[in-house]
Amino acid sequence: MPKELKLEIEPHNFNTFILKSIFSILSILLLAFILFVFITPNLNGNYTLPLKIVVILFILILVTQFIFSPTVYLYSIIISETITELKWQKNGKHNSKKFNNAEIKTELIPSGKNNLYLKLEIKDKNSQIILKQHRIGEWTFDKLKKTENEIEKYYAQHRIKIITA
Protein backbone atom coordinates (compact mmCIF):
# COMPACT_ATOMS: atom_id res chain seq x y z
CA MET A 1 0.00 0.00 0.00
CA PRO A 2 1.65 3.28 -1.10
CA LYS A 3 2.44 5.86 1.55
CA GLU A 4 1.57 8.75 -0.76
CA LEU A 5 -0.47 9.60 -3.81
CA LYS A 6 1.38 11.57 -6.49
CA LEU A 7 0.11 13.26 -9.58
CA GLU A 8 2.70 15.30 -11.43
CA ILE A 9 2.26 16.92 -14.84
CA GLU A 10 4.42 19.36 -16.75
CA PRO A 11 3.44 22.97 -15.98
CA HIS A 12 1.31 24.47 -18.74
CA ASN A 13 2.63 27.10 -21.15
CA PHE A 14 0.06 29.84 -20.67
CA ASN A 15 1.67 32.14 -23.23
CA THR A 16 0.62 29.88 -26.10
CA PHE A 17 -2.80 29.36 -24.49
CA ILE A 18 -3.35 33.13 -24.25
CA LEU A 19 -2.08 33.71 -27.80
CA LYS A 20 -4.40 31.01 -29.17
CA SER A 21 -7.32 32.53 -27.25
CA ILE A 22 -6.56 36.03 -28.54
CA PHE A 23 -6.19 34.74 -32.10
CA SER A 24 -9.50 32.85 -31.96
CA ILE A 25 -11.32 35.87 -30.50
CA LEU A 26 -9.82 38.17 -33.14
CA SER A 27 -10.82 35.74 -35.90
CA ILE A 28 -14.42 35.64 -34.68
CA LEU A 29 -14.59 39.41 -34.33
CA LEU A 30 -13.04 39.94 -37.78
CA LEU A 31 -15.65 37.65 -39.27
CA ALA A 32 -18.37 39.55 -37.38
CA PHE A 33 -16.96 42.86 -38.69
CA ILE A 34 -16.96 41.60 -42.29
CA LEU A 35 -20.54 40.32 -41.95
CA PHE A 36 -21.62 43.60 -40.35
CA VAL A 37 -20.12 45.60 -43.23
CA PHE A 38 -21.91 43.46 -45.85
CA ILE A 39 -25.23 43.48 -43.96
CA THR A 40 -25.22 47.28 -43.57
CA PRO A 41 -24.20 48.61 -46.99
CA ASN A 42 -25.44 52.14 -46.27
CA LEU A 43 -22.35 53.04 -44.22
CA ASN A 44 -20.93 54.92 -47.23
CA GLY A 45 -17.39 53.76 -46.61
CA ASN A 46 -17.40 54.96 -42.97
CA TYR A 47 -16.37 51.85 -41.06
CA THR A 48 -15.20 53.53 -37.86
CA LEU A 49 -18.39 52.65 -35.94
CA PRO A 50 -18.21 48.91 -36.71
CA LEU A 51 -14.48 48.97 -35.99
CA LYS A 52 -15.07 50.63 -32.60
CA ILE A 53 -17.74 48.04 -31.80
CA VAL A 54 -15.35 45.20 -32.67
CA VAL A 55 -12.56 46.68 -30.49
CA ILE A 56 -14.92 47.15 -27.52
CA LEU A 57 -16.24 43.58 -27.88
CA PHE A 58 -12.67 42.24 -28.08
CA ILE A 59 -11.67 44.06 -24.88
CA LEU A 60 -14.81 42.90 -23.05
CA ILE A 61 -14.23 39.27 -24.06
CA LEU A 62 -10.59 39.37 -22.95
CA VAL A 63 -11.47 40.97 -19.61
CA THR A 64 -14.17 38.42 -18.85
CA GLN A 65 -12.08 35.46 -20.02
CA PHE A 66 -8.80 36.19 -18.25
CA ILE A 67 -9.65 38.43 -15.30
CA PHE A 68 -13.09 37.40 -14.10
CA SER A 69 -12.69 33.69 -14.83
CA PRO A 70 -9.03 32.87 -14.19
CA THR A 71 -7.62 29.65 -15.59
CA VAL A 72 -6.32 27.22 -12.96
CA TYR A 73 -3.93 24.46 -13.93
CA LEU A 74 -2.97 21.88 -11.31
CA TYR A 75 0.37 20.29 -12.08
CA SER A 76 1.30 18.56 -8.83
CA ILE A 77 -0.82 16.91 -6.15
CA ILE A 78 1.05 14.96 -3.48
CA ILE A 79 -1.00 13.46 -0.67
CA SER A 80 0.61 11.56 2.18
CA GLU A 81 -0.86 10.43 5.47
CA THR A 82 -0.29 13.80 7.14
CA ILE A 83 0.80 16.32 4.48
CA THR A 84 -1.04 17.37 1.33
CA GLU A 85 0.86 19.55 -1.13
CA LEU A 86 -0.62 21.25 -4.17
CA LYS A 87 1.16 23.14 -6.94
CA TRP A 88 -0.85 25.02 -9.53
CA GLN A 89 -0.79 27.87 -11.98
CA LYS A 90 -3.43 30.56 -12.01
CA ASN A 91 -3.27 32.54 -15.26
CA GLY A 92 0.36 31.47 -15.59
CA LYS A 93 1.51 32.41 -12.07
CA HIS A 94 2.94 29.50 -10.06
CA ASN A 95 1.49 28.86 -6.60
CA SER A 96 1.92 26.12 -4.02
CA LYS A 97 0.43 25.28 -0.66
CA LYS A 98 0.96 22.60 1.98
CA PHE A 99 -1.74 21.37 4.35
CA ASN A 100 -1.38 19.36 7.55
CA ASN A 101 -3.98 16.65 8.16
CA ALA A 102 -6.11 18.04 5.38
CA GLU A 103 -9.73 17.30 4.73
CA ILE A 104 -10.36 17.02 0.98
CA LYS A 105 -13.64 17.28 -0.88
CA THR A 106 -13.58 16.25 -4.55
CA GLU A 107 -16.41 16.73 -6.98
CA LEU A 108 -16.86 16.63 -10.76
CA ILE A 109 -19.19 19.51 -11.58
CA PRO A 110 -20.94 20.11 -14.93
CA SER A 111 -20.04 23.43 -16.54
CA GLY A 112 -21.79 24.05 -19.82
CA LYS A 113 -22.73 21.38 -22.33
CA ASN A 114 -20.70 18.17 -21.85
CA ASN A 115 -17.98 20.04 -19.98
CA LEU A 116 -16.96 19.06 -16.46
CA TYR A 117 -14.43 20.47 -14.04
CA LEU A 118 -12.80 18.90 -11.02
CA LYS A 119 -13.46 20.91 -7.88
CA LEU A 120 -10.90 20.32 -5.12
CA GLU A 121 -11.70 21.83 -1.76
CA ILE A 122 -8.86 21.33 0.69
CA LYS A 123 -8.81 22.62 4.22
CA ASP A 124 -6.95 22.11 7.44
CA LYS A 125 -7.05 23.92 10.79
CA ASN A 126 -5.32 27.04 9.44
CA SER A 127 -6.46 27.49 5.85
CA GLN A 128 -8.77 26.48 3.07
CA ILE A 129 -8.50 26.58 -0.73
CA ILE A 130 -10.88 25.72 -3.56
CA LEU A 131 -9.45 24.98 -7.00
CA LYS A 132 -11.48 24.29 -10.13
CA GLN A 133 -9.50 22.36 -12.73
CA HIS A 134 -11.16 22.56 -16.15
CA ARG A 135 -10.23 20.49 -19.17
CA ILE A 136 -7.08 22.10 -20.53
CA GLY A 137 -3.72 20.75 -21.68
CA GLU A 138 -3.21 17.25 -20.27
CA TRP A 139 -6.36 17.57 -18.17
CA THR A 140 -8.81 15.58 -20.27
CA PHE A 141 -12.15 14.26 -19.04
CA ASP A 142 -10.53 10.89 -18.30
CA LYS A 143 -7.73 12.57 -16.30
CA LEU A 144 -10.29 14.55 -14.24
CA LYS A 145 -12.31 11.42 -13.43
CA LYS A 146 -9.20 9.30 -12.77
CA THR A 147 -7.77 11.93 -10.40
CA GLU A 148 -11.03 12.13 -8.47
CA ASN A 149 -11.17 8.31 -8.21
CA GLU A 150 -7.50 8.02 -7.14
CA ILE A 151 -7.94 10.58 -4.37
CA GLU A 152 -11.09 8.85 -3.12
CA LYS A 153 -9.40 5.42 -3.29
CA TYR A 154 -6.29 6.65 -1.47
CA TYR A 155 -8.36 8.14 1.34
CA ALA A 156 -10.51 5.01 1.59
CA GLN A 157 -7.40 2.81 1.91
CA HIS A 158 -5.77 5.01 4.52
CA ARG A 159 -8.99 5.79 6.37
CA ILE A 160 -8.32 9.48 6.21
CA LYS A 161 -11.32 11.76 6.30
CA ILE A 162 -12.62 12.65 2.83
CA ILE A 163 -15.90 14.08 1.71
CA THR A 164 -17.22 13.34 -1.78
CA ALA A 165 -20.23 14.93 -3.34
Side-chain angles (χ1 to χ4, degrees):
M1 189 169 351
K3 289 284 186 191
E4 64 182 15
L5 174 67
K6 274 188 170 183
L7 170 78
E8 295 192 275
I9 301 172
E10 283 291 316
H12 195 64
N13 184 349
F14 272 86
N15 293 332
T16 57
F17 171 73
I18 290 171
L19 287 175
K20 285 179 185 177
S21 297
I22 289 172
F23 180 72
S24 65
I25 293 168
L26 278 174
S27 300
I28 291 168
L29 290 176
L30 179 63
L31 180 63
F33 175 72
I34 292 169
L35 288 173
F36 185 77
V37 167
F38 283 118
I39 291 173
T40 57
N42 59 350
L43 291 175
N44 299 326
N46 186 4
Y47 300 116
T48 57
L49 177 64
L51 192 57
K52 287 179 183 177
I53 291 171
V54 166
V55 169
I56 289 171
L57 285 175
F58 177 70
I59 291 170
L60 286 174
I61 291 170
L62 278 181
V63 166
T64 57
Q65 178 149 359
F66 297 115
I67 295 175
F68 294 118
S69 63
T71 302
V72 172
Y73 184 80
L74 293 163
Y75 62 89
S76 178
I77 303 170
I78 300 172
I79 303 171
S80 67
E81 292 181 16
T82 58
I83 303 291
T84 300
E85 181 180 6
L86 291 177
K87 292 180 183 177
W88 72 96
Q89 291 171 270
K90 190 171 186 176
N91 285 347
K93 295 181 182 175
H94 294 268
N95 299 298
S96 66
K97 186 140 183 87
K98 286 187 180 183
F99 297 89
N100 290 318
N101 298 317
E103 178 182 311
I104 297 179
K105 179 179 178 183
T106 63
E107 187 176 3
L108 278 176
I109 298 178
S111 172
K113 185 178 180 181
N114 298 324
N115 194 14
L116 298 170
Y117 67 85
L118 176 63
K119 178 181 175 186
L120 283 175
E121 183 176 341
I122 302 173
K123 62 182 175 180
D124 62 6
K125 292 179 183 178
N126 302 323
S127 60
Q128 175 180 354
I129 192 166
I130 298 173
L131 296 175
K132 298 175 182 178
Q133 174 60 58
H134 291 266
R135 295 182 346 186
I136 180 177
E138 291 187 39
W139 283 98
T140 61
F141 170 75
D142 293 331
K143 182 75 130 184
L144 293 171
K145 188 66 178 162
K146 183 180 176 195
T147 302
E148 181 191 35
N149 290 340
E150 284 179 0
I151 291 172
E152 289 176 12
K153 183 179 171 185
Y154 177 84
Y155 274 89
Q157 287 176 347
H158 292 86
R159 298 181 186 175
I160 299 172
K161 187 176 181 181
I162 185 168
I163 303 167
T164 56

